[in-house]
Amino acid sequence: MITVENLSLQYGSQVLFSHVDLQFTRGNCYGIIGANGAGKSTFLKILSGEIESTSGHVSIDPKCRMSVLKQNQNMYDELSVLDTVILGNPRLYACGKEKDAIYEKPDFSDEDGLRAAELEEEFAELGGWEAESDASRLLQGLGIDTSLHQSRMSELDPRLKVKVLLAQALFGNPDIVLLDEPTNNLDLASVVWLEDYLLDYEGTVLVVSHDRYFLNTVCTHIVDIDYGKIKMYVGNYDFWFESSQLMQRLIKDQNKKAEQKIAELQSFIQRFSANKSKSRQATSRRKLLEKITVEEMPASSRRYPWVGFKAEREPGKDRLFVTDVSKTVDGVKVLDHVSFIMGREDKISIIGASEIAVTTLFQLLAGELEPDEGTIKWGVSTTQAYFPKDNSSYFDACEYDLMDWMRQFSEDKRESYLRTFLGRMLFAGDDVYKPVKVLSGGEKVRCMLSKMMLSGANVLMFDQPTNHLDLESIAALNNGMSAFPYNILFSSHDHQLTQTVANRIIDIRPDGTIIDRRCSYDDYMHLNEAHENRE
C-alpha cells in the first residue's frame, strides 16, 4: 500500500535518516520506534504528505484512503463531537453537508434536483446512512457517553478531545491509518479497546508509541529509527528488542575474535619478517591480516538513564491507614468512605475511570489536600516521596538553573556530586546550567525522579510518572520501581509497568467507592472480565 524509495531527510548539516527503502502492506501494523528526536513523528508526516523529504519519494496506491490522528485538539472546537468524528472521511462529510444545503434551499431547481440525486448516490456508496451510528459506536467504545455526542468540541475536557480525534482517525474503515502516540492520556480501558480494534483491523497501520505492552499486542512489524537509518523487523517490540540485543552481542563477539586474530598475526609478522626461512609465512599472514576487518558499531541515538531508589532506613510494621475517607471535587463526590491498610509487601496500583478521583487520592495521601471525612495516618517510621501528575509548580516560576534546582534537594551540595547524579539522568556538559523553566516535559520528569531518588524516602508515590518519557526512560523507571524493596503506590497508563510492579490493585469506581484486590493487574482484569460476562 505504501512504498518508500531512497528516502532521505536532512536539516542543514543534520541527517535524520537516509537511503530508506521500505514497503508497508495491507493487514499489518507497524510500530515506529526510536529515541526522542530520531524523527518518528517526522517520518509519519512525510508519509502523510504534510512535509517533504530531502530526496526519494513515497508511493501510495491512489485508490487508498489515508487517515491521520490529528494532534491539534482545538481545531474542531466549532463542530459537534459527532461531526468531528465523521470528518474523518472528508469526502463523506462534504457530500452530506452539500446535500443538506441543497435540500434547505427555498428555491429548489431542477438542476439542484439532479445534483442532489448524484450526491445521494455517492453518500450511500460512502456509507453515509450508517455514518452517525458508526461514529457513535467508536465514541462509546472509547468511553464517551452518548449524552456528549451532540456537544460542541469546545465544551469537552481535553482528555475527551483526544478520544474524539482518535475516533475520527479510525472512522469509516480507512485503508491506511497513521497514529502518533494514540495511547497518550487514554485510560487503561480505552487502550484495551484500541488494542482489540487494531487487532481486527484489516488495513495498514503505522503507529508511534512509547507503550511497550501496546506495541507487543498490536504490532506485526517494528520500524526502528536509529543510527540515521530506518530498518524494519518482523515481529513485535519484545522480539525486536531481543533480536537487536543479540545482534549487538554477535558483532561484539566477532570483533573480539577478529581483534585477537589481528594481534596474533601482527605478533608473528614482527617476529619473523626479518627471518628468511619464515619470510614467506610472514608475507602470507600479512595478506591475511589485510582481509580481516573489525565491523564498526555505530553509536546509537538511544540513551538510557539510570533510575534507582534507596531508602535511608527500613520502615517499621505500621505503614499506612486510610479510614472512611471521602472527598468532593467541584460538586462531585470522587471518593466515598474509602478505607484500606497498606501492608509491608504492598506495591499498590491505583486505577479508575476517573483520573480526577485517582489524582485526588494521591493529593490526600501526600498532604496536599484534606479529606472532607475520615482520616489518613502514616506510620511514624515512614517517609514519603511524591511524584505529582502536574509538576508545573516546581518549574514554571523557578529562576534556578538545573544545577541549583537539584542542589536544593541534595544534602551533598558539591557540583562534582551533582554532575555525576545528573549524568545518570542524561544531563551532561552545559545542560546542567539550563534554566529549569525551559526544560521539556521528559526532562522535567527526569528531574522529578532525581528529586525522589535524593530524598531517601521509604515509601514512593507516583501519579502518572511515564507521561512524556520515551521507551528507554520508561524501562529504566520500571526497573527502578521493581527493584525498590519497600512500599510503592502508583498510577500509570503503561500496562507493562503496572503488571510488573504492582501486587495489589485498588480500583476507584465511578461512585467513589473502591474494589481492593491483592493480585497482579492482568489477574484483576481477567477477574473483571469474568464478572462482566457472568452479568
Side-chain angles (χ1 to χ4, degrees):
M1 284 185 146
I2 305 177
T3 301
V4 177
E5 294 180 303
N6 197 32
L7 194 73
S8 298
L9 184 66
Q10 183 171 345
Y11 292 118
S13 61
Q14 181 190 11
V15 178
L16 275 183
F17 39 78
S18 61
H19 306 297
V20 178
D21 295 289
L22 297 170
Q23 275 197 325
F24 301 98
T25 57
R26 183 177 177 80
N28 290 313
C29 180
Y30 301 87
I32 315 296
I33 64 171
N36 283 346
K40 301 183 295 295
S41 298
T42 302
F43 181 62
L44 288 189
K45 288 177 180 177
I46 291 174
L47 297 183
S48 69
E50 185 177 340
I51 64 175
E52 292 187 4
S53 59
T54 305
S55 63
H57 62 276
V58 176
S59 302
I60 300 175
D61 186 338
K63 298 177 184 176
C64 293
R65 181 170 73 86
M66 176 185 286
S67 186
V68 179
L69 175 59
K70 303 293 193 302
Q71 300 299 316
N72 184 351
Q73 297 180 11
N74 302 318
M75 67 187 299
Y76 301 105
D77 275 358
E78 298 306 310
L79 296 179
S80 71
V81 169
L82 214 56
D83 277 353
T84 301
V85 176
I86 295 171
L87 195 54
N89 187 337
R91 182 55 205 152
L92 170 61
Y93 182 83
C95 185
K97 290 300 179 183
E98 184 182 352
K99 177 172 66 72
D100 292 344
I102 289 175
Y103 287 137
E104 290 172 2
K105 291 177 70 173
D107 52 344
F108 190 88
S109 65
D110 291 343
E111 186 177 327
D112 289 330
L114 292 172
R115 179 57 180 160
E118 291 174 359
L119 291 169
E120 288 285 8
E121 184 177 353
E122 184 179 4
F123 188 74
E125 288 177 356
L126 293 170
W129 298 114
E130 298 81 35
E132 289 196 2
S133 60
D134 289 346
S136 178
R137 191 157 45 246
L138 287 170
L139 291 167
Q140 290 177 69
L142 287 165
I144 299 179
D145 191 80
T146 54
S147 62
L148 296 174
H149 292 188
Q150 297 299 334
S151 302
R152 282 186 178 273
M153 286 287 286
S154 58
E155 300 170 3
L156 258 59
D157 181 282
R159 287 167 297 183
L160 293 182
K161 285 185 176 182
V162 169
K163 293 184 177 184
V164 175
L165 294 179
L166 180 55
Q168 181 194 75
L170 301 175
F171 175 75
N173 292 316
D175 301 289
I176 302 166
V177 179
L178 306 185
L179 303 174
D180 192 354
E181 296 290 0
T183 61
N184 272 6
N185 299 311
L186 286 190
D187 54 86
L188 287 166
S190 297
V191 174
V192 171
W193 178 89
L194 179 59
E195 289 169 353
D196 291 339
Y197 184 93
L198 293 180
L199 286 171
D200 292 334
Y201 180 70
E202 295 180 352
T204 303
V205 181
L206 283 80
V207 56
V208 172
S209 178
H210 290 153
D211 188 324
R212 297 161 294 169
Y213 187 91
F214 178 77
L215 292 173
N216 278 329
T217 302
V218 304
C219 289
T220 59
H221 298 71
I222 294 294
V223 178
D224 181 30
I225 305 179
D226 202 7
Y227 313 127
K229 303 292 183 183
I230 304 182
K231 295 182 179 179
M232 185 183 294
Y233 299 81
V234 176
N236 62 11
Y237 177 78
D238 278 351
F239 185 83
W240 164 83
F241 183 80
E242 293 298 330
S243 300
S244 63
Q245 295 297 303
L246 176 61
M247 185 60 65
Q248 294 285 307
R249 289 196 296 271
L250 288 174
I251 293 174
K252 286 181 180 178
D253 290 344
Q254 288 173 356
N255 285 349
K256 188 175 181 180
K257 290 176 182 178
E259 288 167 355
Q260 289 174 347
K261 188 67 175 176
I262 288 170
E264 291 172 6
L265 292 171
Q266 286 174 337
S267 176
F268 183 90
I269 292 166
Q270 288 172 358
R271 281 186 290 135
F272 296 110
S273 58
N275 187 324
K276 289 185 178 181
S277 65
K278 298 286 188 179
S279 62
R280 291 184 67 183
Q281 292 183 42
T283 301
S284 174
R285 280 167 171 70
R286 189 177 288 108
K287 290 180 179 179
L288 179 60
L289 179 61
E290 292 172 356
K291 294 179 181 179
I292 297 176
T293 59
V294 175
E295 183 171 346
E296 182 180 349
M297 293 183 64
S300 174
S301 58
R302 288 185 170 81
R303 303 169 70 201
Y304 293 84
W306 179 86
V307 178
F309 305 97
K310 186 176 181 180
E312 290 181 353
R313 63 174 180 173
E314 181 178 352
K317 179 181 177 181
D318 293 339
R319 305 293 173 87
L320 172 64
F321 301 87
V322 176
T323 307
D324 282 331
V325 166
S326 296
K327 186 67 178 178
T328 297
V329 178
D330 294 332
V332 178
K333 199 169 196 177
V334 295
L335 299 171
D336 188 8
H337 295 285
V338 171
S339 297
F340 64 90
I341 298 172
M342 186 169 69
R344 288 188 176 188
E345 308 297 325
D346 288 343
K347 291 187 175 181
I348 303 173
S349 172
I350 311 292
I351 66 173
S354 169
E355 292 193 4
I356 293 175
V358 172
T359 293
T360 299
L361 179 56
F362 276 108
Q363 290 174 324
L364 290 166
L365 296 175
E368 291 186 352
L369 296 176
E370 292 292 329
D372 298 334
E373 301 175 67
T375 59
I376 294 173
K377 182 180 178 183
W378 287 99
V380 293
S381 63
T382 64
T383 52
Q384 303 86 42
Y386 172 48
F387 182 102
K389 183 177 179 181
D390 181 5
N391 58 41
S392 57
S393 63
Y394 288 86
F395 300 98
D396 290 354
C398 184
E399 298 301 324
Y400 284 148
D401 62 28
L402 181 51
M403 180 70 73
D404 287 336
W405 190 90
M406 287 297 299
R407 187 174 278 119
Q408 65 182 323
F409 304 114
S410 177
E411 290 187 6
D412 191 332
K413 309 294 184 181
R414 293 172 303 154
E415 181 166 327
S416 58
Y417 170 77
L418 293 172
R419 270 194 175 277
T420 300
F421 196 88
L422 288 166
R424 291 175 174 178
M425 298 304 288
L426 308 182
F427 297 106
D430 290 340
D431 284 348
V432 301
Y433 300 120
K434 287 170 64 173
V436 294
K437 61 185 177 184
V438 303
L439 296 177
S440 69
E443 288 173 329
K444 288 177 180 177
V445 170
R446 297 204 304 273
C447 284
M448 294 300 295
L449 293 176
S450 298
K451 173 180 175 293
M452 294 182 74
M453 286 189 277
L454 287 167
S455 72
N458 54 31
V459 178
L460 305 178
M461 296 187 290
F462 301 91
D463 189 6
Q464 298 296 342
T466 60
N467 290 353
H468 306 293
L469 290 183
D470 57 19
L471 280 164
E472 291 72 36
S473 298
I474 291 172
L477 174 60
N478 199 154
N479 292 337
M481 291 174 68
S482 297
F484 187 69
Y486 306 122
N487 295 116
I488 299 178
L489 299 99
F490 71 99
S491 68
S492 175
H493 292 151
D494 190 286
H495 187 125
Q496 188 164 331
L497 184 144
T498 305
Q499 170 60 19
T500 54
V501 173
N503 57 22
R504 182 176 174 185
I505 307 296
I506 292 180
D507 186 357
I508 304 176
R509 309 305 293 164
D511 63 0
T513 61
I514 64 170
I515 297 175
D516 187 353
R517 295 284 186 271
R518 279 189 168 83
C519 62
S520 71
Y521 176 69
D522 283 350
D523 286 344
Y524 180 74
M525 295 298 286
H526 291 321
L527 287 170
N528 250 8
E529 187 177 345
H531 177 72
E532 289 174 1
N533 289 338
R534 283 197 301 271
E535 289 184 344

